[in-house]
Amino acid sequence: MSSNIEVLVTGVGGITPLGADITQSWKGMVAGESGVTRLGEEWAAADLPVRVAGALPVDPLSLLERVEARKWDRCEQLAMIGSREAWRDAGRPQVEPERLAVVIGTGTGGILTTLGQDDVYERSGPRRLSPYAVPMLMPNGPAAWVSMELGARGGARTPVSACASGAEAIAMGLDLIRAGRADVVVAGGAEASLHPFCVAAFAQMKALSTDDGDPRAVSRPFDAARSGFVMAEGAGVVVLERAEFARARSARTYGKLAGAAVSSSAHHITASDAEGQVHAIRTALRDAGLGPQDVDNVHAHATSTESGDLAEARAIASALGGHVAVTATKSMTGHMLGASGAVAAVAALLTLRDGVLPATRNFEEPGPGIGLDVVHGESRAGAWSAGLVNSFGFGGHNVSLVVTREG
């Protein structure tokens, strides 16, 4: 494997609580809008302590052909929507099928199908189950369907590393190209797990905010009043290309995926660990050939939990110092779990393109120990040149990505 091989990003796509595509989602981030809303009346009977979520603003079925979409779990639908947008955005590269790979990560895969089909089984018996149940519930379904859509024969892979899954998928795409196994990789993450069971399970861990006030003010990364994260759904996808391949076809680029690192904290199944995060950040910087002083902005994992935000703040300060500007877009979207790291990577690339770092919504007073330059109030303009993306998951999964301007 050679880190001398440059990897460029030529396409981005996705769907988030802020918009049905990346253009709408990015516009919402820059404007400081919120996609967090109150749970609907259909949730009332679930007797949940949580009242808000980052649900999508559109029905995914309105963006797909119903004949095809009925074979897909909602997670697969979101992955397909994001991948199609990214592929179009990249100009639909003409690449040999064996040189095209797909890597789509997810934390829970087809959990909605699993729970829904179990209800059917309990209520009506085995003969009423959908013949599509297995391909709908399997976590590799999103990657498999996207590979078939694009005719990708260079591999269809699925990292499942909780909330770090989407970022790890992008790191894996970088490795595939550097190893000479692909010229183009479609990589990202998708998650659709807004279900009373999943919300209740996270609530039992005391991970979710039970704030019953204005939904738009509940997600508060790094803020002194943060009280837990807001569950959300969505997808983020990028198209990665070997630089020589992209330049040969005169592709438009967003920037370079300069480095990546994956570490495991081996510390606790759910608790954050600053030491493991520092290791991931420093390793990603070495991989990119950069020093701490070269990074000027961070798209933080920052879910809005008390201990998680504090651990990451310490990790950023230890690995980079105090000069970097930090944003936390989960303040606007909520936490899209396995999709969150991929969406953050897209946002980091758009920061480079547009010269604007979105402000962290609801950040009013830094929590104790949060000694960071957290961008708040208004988005910050600048000639941003190198961004770090952090993504961490239960199980001690730590992923850091480094994106830079091309050249």
Side-chain angles (χ1 to χ4, degrees):
M1 186 179 298
S2 174
S3 59
N4 294 326
I5 295 177
E6 287 188 314
V7 176
L8 304 179
V9 181
T10 60
V12 297
I15 180 170
T16 78
L18 287 172
D21 57 28
I22 285 302
T23 298
Q24 294 176 21
S25 298
W26 178 240
K27 182 179 179 181
M29 289 181 190
V30 173
E33 298 172 358
S34 175
V36 178
T37 56
R38 191 167 299 281
L39 291 170
E41 292 183 2
E42 67 275 14
W43 290 72
D47 190 29
L48 297 170
V50 174
R51 304 299 181 189
V52 301
L56 298 177
V58 298
D59 183 349
L61 293 178
S62 68
L63 306 174
L64 299 164
E65 294 292 334
R66 287 184 178 269
V67 173
E68 61 181 6
R70 73 185 184 90
K71 300 182 295 185
W72 300 333
D73 178 83
R74 188 177 178 92
C75 179
E76 295 169 336
Q77 294 171 6
L78 305 190
M80 189 64 75
I81 289 169
S83 296
R84 285 176 172 173
E85 181 186 4
W87 193 247
R88 290 193 304 269
D89 189 47
R92 298 181 175 88
Q94 297 296 309
V95 56
E96 292 295 322
E98 290 75 16
R99 302 292 297 169
L100 172 62
V102 173
V103 190
I104 305 290
T106 181
T108 61
I111 188 67
L112 297 184
T113 292
T114 301
L115 294 169
Q117 287 294 291
D118 181 66
D119 288 343
V120 171
Y121 178 82
E122 296 289 346
R123 183 175 60 249
S124 305
R127 294 184 183 276
R128 302 301 298 175
L129 293 178
S130 168
Y132 299 113
V134 170
M136 290 172 74
L137 65 84
M138 59 191 196
N140 62 304
W145 283 114
V146 172
S147 73
M148 287 184 275
E149 167 93 356
L150 301 178
R153 297 181 180 177
R157 303 190 180 193
T158 305
V160 179
S161 46
C163 303
S165 301
E168 185 166 348
I170 294 174
M172 186 178 291
L174 177 67
D175 287 346
L176 285 171
I177 294 175
R178 284 177 171 176
R181 296 174 181 170
D183 292 318
V184 181
V185 180
V186 176
E191 201 79 88
S193 56
L194 289 183
H195 183 283
F197 172 85
C198 300
V199 173
F202 275 114
Q204 282 295 97
M205 297 177 64
K206 309 300 183 184
L208 300 184
S209 175
T210 57
D211 189 336
D212 197 22
D214 181 355
R216 299 170 299 177
V218 174
S219 185
R220 315 179 65 85
F222 296 127
D223 188 74
R226 66 190 185 278
S227 58
F229 74 79
V230 174
M231 275 188 69
E233 58 183 346
V237 181
V238 298
V239 176
L240 307 175
E241 297 191 34
R242 183 169 54 85
E244 290 82 354
F245 184 90
R247 290 166 182 155
R249 68 182 191 89
S250 300
R252 179 203 59 196
T253 64
Y254 288 89
K256 178 166 66 173
L257 180 57
V262 177
S263 77
S264 50
S265 292
H267 167 67
H268 190 277
I269 195 65
T270 58
S272 300
D273 171 54
E275 183 179 353
Q277 295 172 10
V278 168
H279 178 62
I281 295 170
R282 287 176 174 167
T283 304
L285 290 180
R286 286 197 300 270
D287 188 44
L290 300 179
Q293 72 283 354
D294 298 315
V295 176
D296 50 29
N297 71 93
V298 175
H299 285 253
H301 182 65
T303 63
S304 195
T305 64
E306 183 175 352
S307 60
D309 287 7
L310 180 58
E312 184 177 13
R314 289 172 173 168
I316 292 171
S318 176
L320 299 178
H323 72 283
V324 292
V326 179
T327 188
T329 55
K330 290 183 183 69
S331 62
M332 295 172 276
T333 64
H335 188 3
M336 291 173 281
L337 307 178
S340 62
V343 172
V346 171
L349 289 158
L350 295 176
T351 288
L352 298 181
R353 184 194 69 178
D354 294 347
V356 58
L357 190 63
T360 302
R361 185 182 173 92
N362 302 320
F363 183 84
E364 298 175 357
E365 178 184 350
I370 307 296
L372 300 175
D373 176 16
V374 179
V375 178
H376 62 285
E378 295 183 356
S379 294
R380 186 179 298 178
W384 309 107
S385 60
L388 175 77
V389 178
N390 283 335
S391 190
F392 312 127
F394 285 170
H397 302 281
N398 308 306
V399 181
S400 291
L401 309 173
V402 178
V403 296
T404 63
R405 293 182 180 278
E406 183 182 356

